[in-house]
Amino acid sequence: PSGYMFWSLLGGWENVDTAPAQTGISNLRSPGTNYAGIHLEGGYHGLQKKLVVNRFAVSAVTNGINLLQFATGVDSGDQWLYVSNTTVNARNHGISMMYAKPYPEPGAGGVCDIMAENVDIVAGQGGAGNGITISQGQWMGSSISASGTNAATGEPRVSTITSTNGCGIYLSSLNNGGPCSLGMTNTVVYGCPSNAIYLEARGYGYTLALNSVLQATLRNCTVVSNGLDGLRMFASNSVGNFAAITNCIFAGNGGSGVYLGTNAAAYPAPFACVEGYNVFFDDDIYTNSTAKSVSGTTSTGDPLFYAQQTKPDPWYKIGSRASPAYRTGLGGLNRGAYQTEAGLAKPTVFVFR
């Protein structure tokens, strides 16, 4: 087929025969052992695809959601995926996007963007897989965020991502000349054996001229207890690459908290790192193969997580008012994703009449 494909899967409808309201969650389970929860693919020039998924619980699947462009040599086949208010439990990838582009032509190919809001993803439960993965396409305006309040608890929402056999987030762009950018807010990435967040932009055979500019902005995120780096960015472009990090917690990662590097001797210092009002506990920052001191507003103290019961919530909530993350972030917020605490005694209010 050719042309534009727009699929909108809206779950959670209740009382459809009397007073329809989108207030629930629709369950989606695989009938076998080798099926994805939602799968959309196609390949032809101009075959743009947009997929919207809202209010689903996807489980017992290989990959939770696939939006794929396997055919090579396809131009202007842009892909956009919007996922909200959805949980995914997958044996391999939680969410997978691909735009095949093995040839070194910077003016061809297309966009491969994801916008995820209020998602909870557990991937890699039956083999290798990442929480969210994009392969080869140009993710030029992707975002992962949370907003609103949890109806069950009344607390501000967060998005959570983990994989038991891969990265939390793995985005790789190949042979694209434009910028690749990821914005993250109110998100927890935890417990991955590999990197929590891995972002890469390169050209065919690491051809420098075909590399995209690589940019990441993190605000009020918690990146903890991962086997390798918390945030690893890898590029060969000479200018314009950066990470901007504010009100975040990086703690207990096996590598660096943040590692921004290059494979190209011709461009030994392509990255800038701007950070403030963070917590880096037992985690360092490496930029262009050099250790970077934290800013004056950033703490290296123990965030004093609650560290009880279940992960990520309430385990990674702040558990003490003595925490350097407790209401010390920019704007008076907690540093990290959670804006409510666990285990803190509530104040006693006396009313005299």
Side-chain angles (χ1 to χ4, degrees):
S2 62
Y4 183 77
M5 299 175 65
F6 180 16
W7 288 53
S8 186
L9 304 178
L10 306 179
W13 287 99
E14 300 179 306
N15 304 315
V16 294
D17 294 328
T18 54
Q22 196 180 19
T23 53
I25 295 292
S26 296
N27 292 309
L28 180 60
R29 293 175 58 87
S30 170
T33 59
N34 61 341
Y35 292 95
I38 299 170
H39 182 97
L40 181 62
E41 68 172 273
Y44 200 78
H45 297 291
L47 178 56
Q48 298 180 346
K49 296 187 289 295
K50 181 184 292 185
L51 175 62
V52 177
V53 179
N54 183 38
R55 289 187 173 271
F56 277 86
V58 185
S59 61
V61 294
T62 51
N63 294 350
I65 302 171
N66 288 335
L67 183 57
L68 308 173
Q69 167 65 276
F70 282 124
T72 61
V74 172
D75 302 327
S76 302
D78 299 338
Q79 300 185 121
W80 297 274
L81 175 60
Y82 303 86
V83 183
S84 58
N85 305 306
T86 293
T87 64
V88 176
N89 285 271
R91 289 190 288 273
N92 300 113
H93 298 308
I95 297 174
S96 178
M97 299 182 69
M98 180 180 183
Y99 194 127
K101 191 186 176 188
Y103 52 92
E105 293 294 334
V111 173
C112 201
D113 263 347
I114 181 170
M115 280 65 72
E117 182 178 18
N118 298 342
V119 297
D120 296 289
I121 299 172
V122 180
Q125 298 181 86
N130 306 313
I132 296 175
T133 189
I134 296 178
S135 175
Q136 300 189 25
Q138 183 184 351
W139 32 278
M140 61 184 299
S142 291
S143 64
I144 302 167
S145 63
S147 65
T149 58
N150 186 314
T153 65
E155 297 180 350
R157 290 291 307 264
V158 299
S159 286
T160 65
I161 302 172
T162 188
S163 172
T164 60
N165 201 355
C167 296
I169 301 163
Y170 185 101
L171 309 185
S172 178
S173 176
L174 179 66
N175 298 327
N176 293 291
C180 285
S181 63
L182 173 67
M184 294 179 60
T185 59
N186 308 319
T187 299
V188 183
V189 187
Y190 69 101
C192 304
S194 187
N195 300 292
I197 307 163
Y198 181 89
L199 309 178
E200 176 187 60
R202 60 184 176 88
Y204 184 77
Y206 296 97
T207 303
L208 303 184
L210 300 182
N211 280 283
S212 299
V213 173
L214 190 57
Q215 301 170 344
T217 302
L218 279 66
R219 190 179 183 96
N220 283 105
C221 293
T222 299
V223 184
V224 288
S225 304
N226 299 285
L228 297 178
D229 300 327
L231 170 63
R232 184 176 182 88
M233 298 175 67
F234 185 80
S236 299
N237 203 299
S238 58
V239 295
N241 307 295
F242 69 79
I245 305 167
T246 308
N247 280 12
C248 293
I249 298 175
F250 287 78
N253 296 296
S256 297
V258 173
Y259 190 98
L260 313 178
T262 176
N263 71 306
Y267 300 142
F271 271 103
C273 180
V274 179
E275 63 87 17
Y277 295 93
N278 300 299
V279 174
F280 279 84
F281 178 62
D282 282 342
D283 276 357
D284 51 20
I285 303 174
Y286 263 77
T287 303
N288 308 317
S289 302
T290 302
K292 173 182 171 64
S293 298
V294 299
S295 69
T297 58
T298 288
S299 171
T300 57
D302 189 334
L304 300 177
F305 291 129
Y306 183 56
Q308 298 181 53
Q309 300 177 27
T310 57
K311 295 181 180 180
D313 183 5
W315 191 281
Y316 293 119
K317 286 183 174 178
I318 295 168
S320 170
R321 290 184 178 86
S323 168
Y326 178 67
R327 301 186 184 179
T328 59
L330 192 65
L333 299 173
N334 286 343
R335 305 182 190 200
Y338 292 107
Q339 296 305 309
T340 55
E341 300 79 35
L344 273 64
K346 299 294 188 292
T348 302
V349 178
F350 295 95
V351 178
F352 298 94
R353 298 185 185 278

